[in-house]
Amino acid sequence: MRSSARPSAVALLAAVAATAGVLAGCHSNTPTLANAVTGAEAAARVYVPPGQKDEFYAFFSGGFSGQVSVYGLPSGRLLKVIPVFSQDPQEGWGYDEETKPMLETSFGFVPWDDAHHPELSQTNGVPNGKWLFINGNNTPRIARIDLSQFKTAEILQIPNSAGNHSSPFTTPDGKYVVAGTRFSVPVPNRDTTLASFAQSFKGTLTFVRADEPGKMAIAFQILVPGYDYDLGHAGKGVSDGWFFFTTYNTEQAHTKLEVNASQNDKDYIAAIDYRRAESCVAAGQGTSTMPANYDHNVIDDRSNVAHVERKTSVTALDPSRCDGVMYFLPTPKSPHGVDVDPSGEYIVGNGKLSAVVAVHSFTKMQQAIASKAFDKVVDGIPVLKYESVLAGEVKSAGLGPLHTEFDGKGYAYTSFFISSEIVKWKLGTWEVVDRTPTYYAIGHLMIPGGDSRAPWGKYVIALNKITKDRYLPTGPIMDQSAQLYDISGPKMQLLLDFPTIGEPHYAQALPANLIHSVKFNALTDNANPWAVKTEADGGISRQGKTVHVKMAAIRSHFSPDNLEGITVGDTVFFHVTNIEQDWDIVHGFAVLGNTDAAELILAPGETRTLKWVPRASGVYPFYCTDFCSALHQEMQGYVRVSPAGSTVALSATIGDHAVGGDRMAGMHPTGAAGAVAGGHQ
Ligand code: K7E
Ligand code: CUA
């Protein structure tokens, strides 16, 4: 009967919104004059003349597209979409034999996800331009993107989790990225009545080692009460060594959360002393080995082939048996983002349903722990007294605070979803100093380096949920929208709107000179077992019903380009190597009527493999899909497919000569080759 005793969240929001004279999802804000710049001024400040380059790289999550998009700032120009969790025909990602294993999970092949939080790798709390991590929210995963290649290089699945939302935030030393579960579930997962939620459902907070490429690994999982763990951020500076996660649904509702998870005046920010966790794990104190099935998928640098490693256990830590590892900080009310200021002293809780933004003090938290200023103890975890940890409250700031970033000059910027605005306030005095409307319904906001120890506080970007009436209409669904504001002066100034791909929950950005993008891969380093180094290395071979074709692509032909001797019932693998050694000279490869894959897109120096199972006899053309030269349209060839049982001899030719010839007979690659050709039939 709790719901009759207290107003529901919806009623609360409606009441607050009505008093404030705005409607939920308000779209009627007009810019305040103090913040306005003329069109010409704004244009000049975002204009990057043709041939010149942007100052910042910005990485936007694709939300339900599953990918990451890369923009230049301040121009808002889209530079690239990096395929991560979703199959992508533009790059053949998840279609070719080399990359299909990247999308394997313990559930099987999962070619989609919902990606929310791009996180740049850090050194000493500052983005270093090496890698970008991003979470898969639906089927819990963390991906690592290599920023020298702008390519996904590694994906680790997170077991005992469901809805990997509070992820993959990094520690300042880059040692860990984290994964907190949004849904609590039975751990280990099993058939259980949903009504037993409060007894049998658990949350997990997972610390993943992430400082060595190709070696992401779960260090430990902390088993926590069955709440929803929403977002997280590491401490830094004075709070280095701690991690903070927001919770909601401390009511432990399993149905109608809209009402039932909005009862408590305060939920918690969970504070984890992860160095203490490390010492308990090292000493075996409060730990157990839990069985768990999850995949770790890595692309080998040199062969470019992805491999799946199935893992079978994790180290679990019970915080009630590791003294001092975890505390709860009461925080009003269903907090979403938790953001730590550049000094590490202030921990900002963005209570979605709260009228204030509550800011905790790390120093006070330490004192409260020392003096045992506890309200109560939940499942062995002390709950600190709200007043004993509170640094201050930002009052009457707006409605529906979600996220906060920092400019490095003593100010914080908080997004307000319901009142659809960014509010700038001063750390320490908590006074609101500026506000500006967003169009419309802002979620995250982003300042380059704005969650780091040293923000580049020149711009803030609003990542908005609703776009209607801003651009030419595109039917009932509009792409989401970003807005760029200049924050170099005392007032935020709106300069630019630009559309995004999918729903950009969050983004991160850093100065362009911190990224070292390679121009091509050296052919001499290409260790793909099917690579060819010259045109003469191509050829065709048969192993039972499997036919392997090794092919070189170079302006403007394939070698070989005529293939015969394939029969219905064969499975054909085209292993194509782009043997160009020049920046941005890309070739593609596609074959008529292929139901087994998309195209291949080949970076210079790279080998990829296309699977094809012809279902009928005939002649099938193949061609290059990337307009690579004046004679690109000539870059084509034919495969002859004969009826099953045909005795047509296997041949691979170009012009008047055979390619590979007898050297191909009995060709039987070893090692990783088997994984490429046979792994995903
Ligand atoms: Cu606020 Cu998924 Cu970080 Cu969307 S989340 S807004
Ligand atoms: Cu190669 Cu077009």
Side-chain angles (χ1 to χ4, degrees), residues 495-651:
L495 301 181
L496 183 69
D497 280 23
F498 58 95
T500 63
I501 293 173
E503 182 181 348
H505 284 268
Y506 185 41
Q508 291 215 324
L510 80 176
N513 62 14
L514 292 180
I515 289 191
H516 306 286
S517 166
V518 305
K519 298 192 165 167
F520 59 86
N521 298 312
L523 198 54
T524 46
D525 289 345
N526 181 338
N528 188 298
W530 298 99
V532 299
K533 304 288 163 96
T534 69
E535 292 185 48
D537 291 345
I540 191 166
S541 67
R542 171 182 289 286
Q543 297 163 7
K545 292 269 179 208
T546 301
V547 174
H548 292 284
V549 179
K550 293 210 294 180
M551 201 179 261
I554 186 160
R555 281 163 289 180
S556 299
H557 58 275
F558 295 104
S559 172
D561 68 2
N562 277 213
L563 304 164
E564 300 194 28
I566 289 160
T567 62
V568 172
D570 286 343
T571 296
V572 183
F573 292 97
F574 296 98
H575 309 281
V576 188
T577 305
N578 178 354
I579 63 173
E580 307 273 359
Q581 292 288 273
D582 197 357
W583 191 18
D584 196 30
I585 301 298
V586 175
H587 296 291
F589 180 86
V591 60
L592 170 70
N594 188 1
T595 59
D596 301 285
E599 59 168 347
L600 302 175
I601 281 289
L602 301 150
E606 181 178 59
T607 304
R608 288 182 180 265
T609 299
L610 186 87
K611 180 181 168 184
W612 179 50
V613 183
R615 265 83 179 175
S617 58
V619 170
Y620 293 79
F622 57 83
Y623 72 101
C624 172
T625 52
D626 187 300
F627 208 111
C628 52
S629 66
L631 294 172
H632 155 81
Q633 285 297 82
E634 282 70 15
M635 193 163 175
Q636 64 175 52
Y638 290 102
V639 193
R640 173 183 173 192
V641 176
S642 304
S646 148
T647 55
V648 175
L650 215 52
S651 78

Side-chain angles (χ1 to χ4, degrees), residues 12-257:
L12 179 91
L13 285 179
V16 184
T19 355
V22 293
L23 299 168
C26 156
H27 302 144
S28 56
N29 290 327
T30 43
T32 55
L33 278 176
N35 295 27
V37 286
T38 67
E41 271 177 80
R45 280 195 245 162
V46 299
Y47 183 62
V48 178
Q52 292 192 25
K53 302 193 181 77
D54 278 293
E55 185 180 353
F56 294 96
Y57 279 106
F59 299 90
F60 287 56
S61 67
F64 38 73
S65 87
Q67 319 295 48
V68 165
S69 41
V70 187
Y71 286 82
L73 298 182
S75 73
R77 295 188 290 209
L78 175 65
L79 306 177
K80 188 179 180 69
V81 174
I82 305 172
V84 185
F85 295 113
S86 298
Q87 276 180 307
D88 176 64
Q90 185 177 336
E91 295 208 359
W93 175 257
Y95 288 104
D96 65 56
E97 297 305 300
E98 281 76 8
T99 60
K100 273 185 197 170
M102 291 299 280
L103 306 181
E104 285 294 339
T105 73
S106 64
F107 301 95
F109 186 70
V110 180
W112 169 84
D113 218 308
D114 180 20
H116 284 221
H117 304 120
E119 178 83 345
L120 290 160
S121 56
Q122 297 187 351
T123 304
N124 291 326
V126 179
N128 59 24
K130 276 207 269 185
W131 308 315
L132 182 79
F133 297 94
I134 188 157
N135 62 324
N137 188 38
N138 182 60
T139 302
R141 289 177 277 183
I142 294 175
R144 183 178 59 83
I145 294 163
D146 176 344
L147 292 180
S148 69
Q149 302 267 350
F150 286 69
K151 195 170 101 180
T152 304
E154 183 175 10
I155 294 180
L156 178 70
Q157 192 185 348
I158 309 296
N160 301 318
S161 174
N164 180 36
H165 194 258
S166 29
S167 180
F169 305 101
T170 184
T171 55
D173 58 4
K175 183 171 180 183
Y176 297 111
V177 294
V178 300
T181 189
R182 178 237 180 126
F183 296 95
S184 283
V185 286
V187 175
N189 210 332
R190 60 193 180 277
D191 175 28
T192 310
T193 168
L194 304 182
S196 73
F197 187 104
Q199 298 79 53
S200 44
F201 286 43
K202 279 280 187 193
T204 53
L205 302 175
T206 305
F207 283 72
V208 173
R209 274 303 285 264
D211 44 358
E212 265 194 84
K215 297 197 173 151
M216 278 201 287
I218 292 176
F220 50 86
Q221 284 195 314
I222 305 179
L223 290 175
V224 287
Y227 308 149
D228 292 46
Y229 294 82
D230 204 11
L231 282 156
H233 260 112
K236 50 171 92 81
V238 289
S239 54
D240 184 50
W242 287 77
F243 223 104
F244 303 95
F245 293 90
T246 44
T247 71
Y248 64 99
N249 193 23
T250 52
E251 298 85 350
Q252 299 193 290
H254 59 90
T255 182
K256 247 186 134 185
L257 266 65

Side-chain angles (χ1 to χ4, degrees), residues 329 344-347 359-367 388-392:
L329 284 51
E345 168 62 13
Y346 297 123
I347 301 136
V359 185
H360 299 304
S361 152
F362 181 74
T363 308
K364 288 182 75 176
M365 183 189 103
Q366 294 290 71
Q367 290 161 357
S388 70
V389 292
L390 188 72

